[in-house]
């Protein structure tokens, strides 16, 4: 039957089974069991709680057993651990104290106080309903062993199935592989298990390497093409008409070896008073032709293998005033491939002729038809033009 403290009026009236433990005192909100029979009040401020003090010097020290749970069922305990066919062990107790200090006075045995059962540390259980390895019940083993000695590695006898050993110095992890009586130690290096190496798959031949594109760069040079002193009124644009379209071919033999990043040109003019061609456009391209053939039109009809047409300068005003070489710096550089002829296309879309126009100082060469022109009033020309058998303006090429 439960006994409540408010039922106790006289300490000597406590039932015999309690009285034999010693004295029951209530001091400063403390319940003290087996307190010193001197009735001293020195230790009256040890804080609210339950204090068990022993040391009466009579026979053996008092033992204190908490919470025998062997009467509870599996469902109530949510466990299934039956020991020696004798029922369940005492499994623990509940407390709300901030700290619990437990110690084992006998250091010569592995039996003692445990917060987590040993097998929960070294054996996390099995999968696929396998039977746990009996060796996992060996006393006092750790999940991970360690060594700080370089080159140190475990033997089979040093490890349990599923147990790990790490060499901190080498950064290598060891464990067991195999079955009972045939275990071997294997190691993990980083995340790669060191087992027999599987032959590598045949290496697929690399695809042929595409040749690199030729190197183009600005060399800050100016190439002067063959010069003459002839006067040609049609070039670079025909100022007597509202519109004109002129083209020029420069052969690779004239441009020298190698690729070039063409950044501008200069053309020599003379005979101009104050004169500006408005709305001019220059285009460059490659062609396989060495000269202009018959029946060539503004739209490049009958010019062979024209490629890489590039507008290098568009809708600009060309100041032809005075005499000498007039420079035109391109807005877009042209990559000359070093092999084909260079085609220069000059479009004059001024739309209004004016007096005071002059001419291009030109080179005479009756071997190639290196120039071509067409012109008209009121609208831009589109018909067949005229190839010039003998003359081409004096040019300088900047690259």
């Amino acid at each position: 039957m439960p006994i409540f403290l408010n039922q106790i009026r006289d300490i000597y009236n406590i039932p015999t089974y309690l009285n034999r433990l010693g004295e029951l005192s209530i001091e400063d909100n403390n319940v003290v069991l087996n307190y010193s029979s001197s009735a001293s009040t020195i230790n009256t401020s040890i804080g609210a709680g339950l204090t068990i003090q022993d040391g009466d010097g009579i026979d053996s020290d008092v033992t204190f057993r908490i919470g025998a749970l062997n009467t509870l069922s599996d469902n109530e305990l949510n466990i299934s651990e039956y020991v020696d066919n004798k029922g369940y062990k005492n499994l623990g107790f509940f407390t709300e104290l901030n700290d619990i200090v437990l110690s084992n006075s006998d250091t010569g045995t592995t039996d003692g106080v445990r917060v987590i059962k040993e097998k929960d540390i070294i054996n996390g259980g099995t999968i696929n309903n396998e039977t746990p390895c009996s060796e996992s019940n060996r006393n006092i083993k750790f999940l991970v062993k360690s060594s700080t000695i370089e080159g140190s590695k475990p033997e089979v006898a040093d490890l349990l199935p599923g147990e790990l050993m790490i060499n901190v110095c080498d950064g290598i992890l060891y464990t067991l592989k195999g079955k009972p009586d045939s275990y071997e130690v294997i190691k993990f290096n980083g995340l790669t298990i060191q087992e027999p190496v599987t032959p590598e798959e045949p290496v697929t031949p690399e695809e042929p390497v595409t040749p690199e594109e030729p190197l183009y760069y600005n060399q800050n040079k100016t190439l002067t093409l063959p010069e003459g002193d002839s006067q040609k009124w049609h070039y670079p644009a025909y100022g007597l008409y509202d519109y004109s379209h002129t083209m020029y071919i420069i052969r690779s033999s004239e441009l020298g070896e190698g690729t070039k990043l063409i950044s501008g040109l200069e053309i020599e003019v003379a005979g101009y008073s104050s004169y500006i061609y408005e709305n001019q456009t220059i285009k460059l391209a490659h062609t396989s032709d060495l000269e202009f053939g018959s029946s060539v039109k503004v739209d490049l009809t009958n010019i062979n293998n024209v490629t890489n047409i590039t507008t290098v300068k568009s809708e600009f005003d060309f100041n032809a005033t005075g005499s000498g070489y007039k420079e035109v710096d391109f807005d877009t550089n042209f990559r000359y491939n070093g092999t084909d002829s260079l085609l220069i296309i000059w479009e004059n879309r001024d739309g209004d002729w004016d007096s005071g126009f002059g001419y291009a100082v030109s080179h005479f060469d009756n071997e190639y038809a290196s120039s071509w022109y067409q012109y008209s009033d009121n609208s831009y020309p589109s018909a067949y033009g005229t190839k010039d058998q003998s003359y081409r303006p004096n040019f300088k090429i900047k690259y």
Side-chain angles (χ1 to χ4, degrees):
M1 171 177 100
I3 298 177
F4 298 94
L5 293 180
N6 60 7
Q7 296 174 320
I8 301 174
R9 305 302 181 190
D10 187 340
I11 195 65
Y12 296 106
N13 291 329
I14 295 176
T16 302
Y17 68 90
L18 283 180
N19 191 38
R20 62 187 175 93
L21 295 179
E23 181 178 328
L24 172 63
S25 302
I26 300 176
E27 299 180 5
D28 192 20
N29 294 325
N30 294 293
V31 177
V32 182
L33 297 178
N34 201 30
Y35 193 74
S36 174
S37 58
S38 62
S40 170
T41 58
I42 296 176
N43 297 321
T44 58
S45 298
I46 57 177
L50 175 64
T51 302
I52 302 175
Q53 293 187 353
D54 189 20
D56 58 359
I58 301 175
D59 298 324
S60 300
D61 290 345
V62 172
T63 59
F64 180 64
R65 183 181 298 273
I66 300 178
L69 302 179
N70 55 331
T71 59
L72 301 181
S73 67
D74 276 1
N75 290 334
E76 291 171 313
L77 292 175
N78 192 27
I79 62 171
S80 57
E81 183 177 343
Y82 194 77
V83 181
D84 298 332
N85 297 316
K86 297 180 180 178
Y88 295 99
K89 289 183 178 180
N90 296 333
L91 299 180
F93 62 92
F94 171 83
T95 178
E96 291 181 350
L97 296 177
N98 291 332
D99 297 286
I100 302 174
V101 179
L102 306 173
S103 64
N104 176 23
S105 59
D106 185 359
T107 59
T109 176
T110 59
D111 295 328
V113 176
R114 294 185 181 91
V115 177
I116 301 177
K117 287 178 292 184
E118 151 215 341
K119 77 169 194 177
D120 292 332
I121 298 177
I122 68 170
N123 185 355
T126 62
I127 62 174
N128 302 322
N129 297 317
E130 299 174 33
T131 302
C133 178
S134 60
E135 298 175 67
S136 299
N137 293 323
R138 191 183 303 173
N139 288 332
I140 309 306
K141 289 290 182 180
F142 296 98
L143 178 63
V144 179
K145 292 182 177 178
S146 65
S147 173
T148 58
I149 301 175
E150 184 176 359
S152 175
K153 59 183 180 180
E155 301 295 334
V156 172
D158 295 323
L159 298 174
L160 291 175
E163 189 175 14
L164 306 175
M165 179 270 183
I166 185 169
N167 187 307
V168 180
C169 184
D170 299 336
I172 299 177
L173 192 65
Y174 297 89
T175 190
L176 293 182
K177 173 187 175 182
K179 298 180 179 180
D181 300 325
S182 63
Y183 289 125
E184 61 176 320
V185 176
I186 61 172
K187 65 181 180 180
F188 297 83
N189 192 347
L191 295 179
T192 303
I193 184 168
Q194 303 298 304
E195 293 198 65
V197 178
T198 303
E200 296 183 358
E201 295 183 4
V203 178
T204 304
E206 296 183 359
E207 295 182 2
V209 178
T210 303
E212 293 184 0
E213 187 176 336
L215 179 63
Y216 296 91
Y217 61 97
N218 194 324
Q219 303 177 49
N220 294 317
K221 295 181 179 181
T222 300
L223 173 66
T224 301
L225 299 176
E227 295 178 303
D229 56 7
S230 300
Q231 301 176 8
K232 293 299 295 182
W233 301 95
H234 305 93
Y235 312 133
Y238 199 0
L240 184 60
Y241 288 84
D242 295 343
Y243 303 94
S244 63
H245 187 95
T246 58
M247 297 188 288
Y248 315 94
I249 287 179
I250 302 173
R251 289 161 288 282
S252 61
S253 59
E254 299 177 283
L255 292 169
E257 296 181 354
T259 60
K260 292 176 174 61
L261 187 66
I262 300 177
S263 59
L265 60 78
E266 298 179 26
I267 185 170
E268 188 176 9
V269 298
Y272 285 94
S273 58
S274 179
Y275 203 93
I276 296 177
Y277 288 101
E278 297 179 352
N279 196 13
Q280 307 294 292
T281 294
I282 297 176
K283 300 175 181 178
L284 298 187
H286 292 110
T287 177
S288 60
D289 290 342
L290 300 179
E291 63 178 340
F292 291 101
S294 302
S295 303
V296 173
K297 296 177 66 175
V298 169
D299 63 3
L300 308 181
T301 297
N302 293 322
I303 302 178
N304 296 307
N305 302 314
V306 177
T307 59
N308 308 118
I309 300 176
T310 303
T311 301
V312 294
K313 188 81 171 179
S314 62
E315 300 178 358
F316 70 99
D317 295 340
F318 177 65
N319 189 348
T321 302
S323 300
Y325 276 97
K326 303 298 180 180
E327 184 175 2
V328 179
D329 291 325
F330 297 159
D331 296 327
T332 302
N333 295 333
F334 180 78
R335 295 183 171 189
Y336 172 66
N337 62 20
T339 304
D340 292 325
S341 296
L342 179 66
L343 176 65
I344 300 176
I345 304 168
W346 191 302
E347 300 176 358
N348 168 28
R349 300 177 183 273
D350 185 293
D352 186 18
W353 81 277
D354 198 359
S355 61
F357 64 91
Y359 55 86
V361 182
S362 301
H363 166 69
F364 174 79
D365 179 6
N366 61 3
E367 181 178 2
Y368 294 105
S370 301
S371 300
W372 181 98
Y373 60 87
Q374 178 59 281
Y375 48 84
S376 69
D377 281 326
N378 301 319
S379 63
Y380 199 79
S382 60
Y384 297 101
T386 302
K387 66 176 180 178
D388 194 332
Q389 181 64 35
S390 305
Y391 300 97
R392 187 183 68 195
N394 296 341
F395 280 113
K396 293 182 180 182
I397 303 298
K398 300 172 65 177
Y399 63 97

